[in-house]
Amino acid sequence: MIRTLTVDQARQSVLQRRLLDDAEAPEAALQALREATGRDVHTATEGVAHILADVRARGDEAVRFYSRALDGAELGPLEVPQSALEAAYMRLDRALRAALEASAERIYRFHERQAQAEAGWLVEEGDSRLGQLVRPLERVGIYAPGGQALYPSSVLMAAVPAQVAGVREIIVISPPSRARLSEEGEHEVAVADVVLAAARIGGAHRVFQVGGAQGIAALAYGTETVPQVDKILGPGGLFTVLAMRQLFGVTGIAGLPGPTETLLIADDSANPALVAADLLAQAEHDVLASALLLTPSRALAARVAAEVTEQLARLPRRAIIEGSLERGSAIVLTGSLDEAMALANEYAPEHLCLLTESPWALLGQVQHAGGVFVGESACEALGDYIVGPSHIMPTSRTARFNSPVNVRDFQKIISVFGVGDATLHATGRDAIRIAEAEGLQGHAEAIRRRLDKKE
Amino acid sequence: MIRTLTVDQARQSVLQRRLLDDAEAPEAALQALREATGRDVHTATEGVAHILADVRARGDEAVRFYSRALDGAELGPLEVPQSALEAAYMRLDRALRAALEASAERIYRFHERQAQAEAGWLVEEGDSRLGQLVRPLERVGIYAPGGQALYPSSVLMAAVPAQVAGVREIIVISPPSRARLSEEGEHEVAVADVVLAAARIGGAHRVFQVGGAQGIAALAYGTETVPQVDKILGPGGLFTVLAMRQLFGVTGIAGLPGPTETLLIADDSANPALVAADLLAQAEHDVLASALLLTPSRALAARVAAEVTEQLARLPRRAIIEGSLERGSAIVLTGSLDEAMALANEYAPEHLCLLTESPWALLGQVQHAGGVFVGESACEALGDYIVGPSHIMPTSRTARFNSPVNVRDFQKIISVFGVGDATLHATGRDAIRIAEAEGLQGHAEAIRRRLDKKE
């Protein structure tokens, strides 16, 4: 059962944005942090800060300690041997392996276009050469969640663009599971096959079985066995995201992943069964996921609501979907398509799906979204797996300023100041004037000495 | 007097990197925070967290409160009127104004090339259209420090690339000064003319006279008068940088500026007087600034050391320079130029200057730096003012993963998934297979319904 709201009602409820600081940690999570850290922490932020400091100080020993305390896994080696990656790859269902490889191939091709278009430049201006070198990051860390939620697709969606960018060492970390550890006793490998196989297919170089805040800390600071990386990305739970936030600046952090969101804009031309299926696909991620339909059509709204009820009955993740429909999901009746577009830009959704008669005509109006799915065949679920652009996109309104994972995330720019004599002479006096206005005589002097020498 | 060190000595001292968390706040700063917040805070991070929460809750009232408590300025309107910007511009020394305008013009031209090269793309593949829309951020905030250190050049170096990117509203904030307030009583304007004029020249749309952690919080959350921005950037003091770190994710944060650094690599062909002048220009910024020369030439090292002593005596900021020379600055003797380049990449300096016989031949080896200055005429101080690339560059080793301020900072990407029927049919089965492996039947169903409908 999905609600139908007016714009005003939606503004008061499903279109409201919450900040990470407003998310209250569940008492069970706080209790786990108290037990693991042995401190009477009052917030998850505090508990995570303690874990980070401890990993910085004690390295692997602390990583093992929190893996035991929080994941229940007593680990031997932290790194998964290459032979285990190969074995997981070989064991994987052949059709699934082919599907993952087809997905990796399309992701590669998409991002290769970006890399070719944005490869840096160097231009000659008289005797000067100015420009931007684009260089890959040396080493990046990708977080692959464990537990119930195994998303090999997310590993591909992060690792493949990194590979295209030319990252020398792509590291995947994933929390160990005690259950898996006992199954795989001899190898002491506690990460699922499908994650290991995806790491191999995606071009990851090394896999470590560490997760949570301790895993993020190990990547940011480096330990005896886990190398320090230049950037961390990927989805994750509350502790992981809080750790990323606190480590911003110690290492690069691509973004702080929050609950996923899809906003569909549809008109009378849309197929209600497909719109309903898209809403349900979104809602099945998580009770915190938001599935929103904005439409000016009352007729469509009614038919989609009926379809949602009907299709929902047949889906296995019904309880999760119902949770999502009760919280952040709804059908919102707008006065027009233009109003729907304006609301969408204000909300800045992770996924924006245009199911209207002339969807391409709306593209020019899209200002804030992670990805835009244009037309009926551009199914959001397909984009989650195989279209090519990364499915790791900005959530919680951060699409106003962040981008989907892309090649730029794995590069940095170095400005090239190749100033020749002519440019020095043409600009030196103005530079000296500004330096003197800023009270920096040493700066003025360094320029003046060159002018004097060459004049 | 500048020290000369071996590589091993340098690794133990000037080449060591410190993290923001290791920076101890001066007791005076802590005391100011205690008085302003009325709380017994133990760290600057704690005090800043309190200010941010207060501005989020109380808006302008809190901004005024901390401006009074920390800057000593009792403010009327927070916004500087457009007429005051215009008046400051007109009052400015004519030659300085022309110099700032020449600088803005060169910054504009440099970044325009990037914007043209990286304008997004959309490619047709059969019946699909895939690509990346590049969209400007709507509103950004630039921090211009106040007090003794007035850097109109930094305002240009941030505002002009934002203007090139197409940002609709560029906001500059700068801390008010009680001293200035009394001078300008009738306008109630408490920001220096040269900063206001630079804001106007750089294309800023609005200026607010708020600074510190409270100013950053006002930009991140928005208040009654200060609009919420999508990204904040610019240099700043300890409270400002701690505020930026804590607000990462609430808004975009371009980087956490630390003390400035220049690393010169020179050989026997270099002019010792110019190398010394460059070291002194760098050292005059701040006692925490690092000026490093890496050279395999003992002869050059000795001559540069002598020049430093001689030139230093004539510079007005001698006390600051001496502080910098005692702390993070030195001449380091390397075994070879290659070793110097390897150390430079390891250190990842903000500025890397190549003063060798064949400087362009070294460019290919540069992996980690904010900007590289190639050859004798490419004076770093010139780049601070007028060459074109932004002088706001990553410090404290973050050049490993961050870039100088550039057009990308003011844009975000929106992925376009324009999937047609042919691509849907070619990829749908593989996507369903991965969705099922991830236990997401709703995703599989949304794709399957489309395949069934169209087959």
Side-chain angles (χ1 to χ4, degrees), chain B residues 230-246:
Chain B
D230 298 312
K231 188 171 260 183
I232 300 174
L233 68 167
L238 181 64
F239 296 170
T240 312
V241 174
L242 289 175
M244 288 180 181
R245 183 168 71 161
Q246 292 182 35

Side-chain angles (χ1 to χ4, degrees), chain A residues 151 284-286 315-321, chain B residues 438-441:
Chain A
Y151 298 127
E284 78 175 337
H285 274 288
D286 185 345
L315 287 172
R317 291 166 74 96
R318 185 172 170 164
I320 293 173
I321 296 171
Chain B
E438 293 187 351
L440 297 177
Q441 290 295 343

Side-chain angles (χ1 to χ4, degrees), chain A residues 185-369:
Chain A
E186 64 176 321
H187 290 299
E188 296 194 307
V189 172
V191 173
D193 268 7
V194 71
V195 169
L196 297 178
R200 184 188 177 285
I201 292 167
H205 300 90
R206 301 174 72 181
V207 178
F208 291 84
Q209 40 194 359
V210 295
Q214 65 275 16
I216 301 295
L219 289 173
Y221 295 124
T223 69
E224 301 89 317
T225 57
V226 183
Q228 185 179 36
V229 301
D230 299 311
K231 188 170 259 184
I232 300 174
L233 70 166
L238 180 64
F239 296 170
T240 312
V241 174
L242 290 174
M244 288 179 181
R245 182 167 72 161
Q246 293 181 33
L247 292 165
F248 170 68
V250 173
T251 185
I253 300 291
L256 301 178
T260 176
E261 316 140 4
T262 291
L263 189 153
L264 290 89
I265 291 180
D267 61 14
D268 272 324
S269 74
N271 179 325
L274 294 183
V275 172
D278 289 347
L279 290 170
L280 291 165
Q282 176 60 22
E284 78 175 337
H285 274 288
D286 185 345
V287 295
L288 296 176
S290 293
L292 297 166
L293 166 63
L294 271 56
T295 181
S297 165
R298 283 182 180 275
L300 182 79
R303 292 169 67 197
V304 168
E307 278 282 345
V308 163
T309 304
E310 198 198 310
Q311 293 181 29
L312 168 59
R314 293 194 300 273
L315 287 172
R317 291 166 74 96
R318 185 172 170 164
I320 293 173
I321 296 171
E322 284 173 342
S324 161
L325 296 185
E326 281 164 22
R327 295 172 193 221
S329 302
I331 298 171
V332 183
L333 286 169
T334 61
S336 63
L337 273 185
D338 281 347
E339 186 184 23
M341 289 300 296
L343 272 176
N345 280 325
E346 208 177 292
Y347 183 76
E350 182 187 13
H351 309 104
L352 173 63
C353 305
L354 304 176
L355 293 155
T356 59
E357 203 170 347
S358 308
W360 287 102
L362 296 174
L363 194 64
Q365 289 179 53
V366 178
Q367 290 300 325
H368 305 300

Side-chain angles (χ1 to χ4, degrees), chain B residues 19-164:
Chain B
L19 296 179
L20 184 53
D21 279 320
D22 300 332
E24 276 166 42
E27 183 51 35
L30 282 177
Q31 193 49 41
L33 281 175
R34 284 189 201 113
E35 280 166 24
T37 63
R39 309 218 160 186
D40 184 28
V41 295
H42 294 94
T43 63
T45 296
E46 258 181 79
V48 166
H50 182 74
I51 294 174
L52 304 186
D54 203 13
V55 171
R56 188 177 172 202
R58 297 197 296 134
D60 284 345
E61 199 183 320
V63 172
R64 280 177 209 288
F65 177 82
Y66 295 106
S67 287
R68 199 184 307 129
L70 293 166
D71 302 320
E74 185 75 56
L75 293 176
L78 297 183
E79 184 164 6
V80 177
Q82 293 296 325
S83 58
L85 267 63
E86 189 61 26
Y89 173 81
M90 296 305 292
R91 268 197 302 264
L92 204 67
D93 171 77
R94 196 177 277 247
L96 176 57
R97 194 163 81 192
L100 289 170
E101 284 174 333
S103 169
E105 167 65 25
R106 289 190 62 95
I107 302 169
Y108 195 96
R109 268 196 310 177
F110 180 86
H111 289 91
E112 208 177 20
R113 287 190 191 271
Q114 183 188 17
Q116 283 162 359
E118 304 185 342
W121 51 278
L122 204 59
V123 68
E124 309 222 351
E125 290 190 347
D127 60 349
S128 288
R129 273 193 276 180
L130 304 182
Q132 296 176 319
L133 303 180
V134 170
R135 291 274 196 260
L137 304 192
E138 255 181 50
R139 200 185 280 127
V140 302
I142 294 169
Y143 193 83
Q148 296 297 307
L150 294 178
Y151 298 127
S153 58
S154 298
V155 174
L156 300 183
M157 294 289 178
V160 176
Q163 194 191 335
V164 172

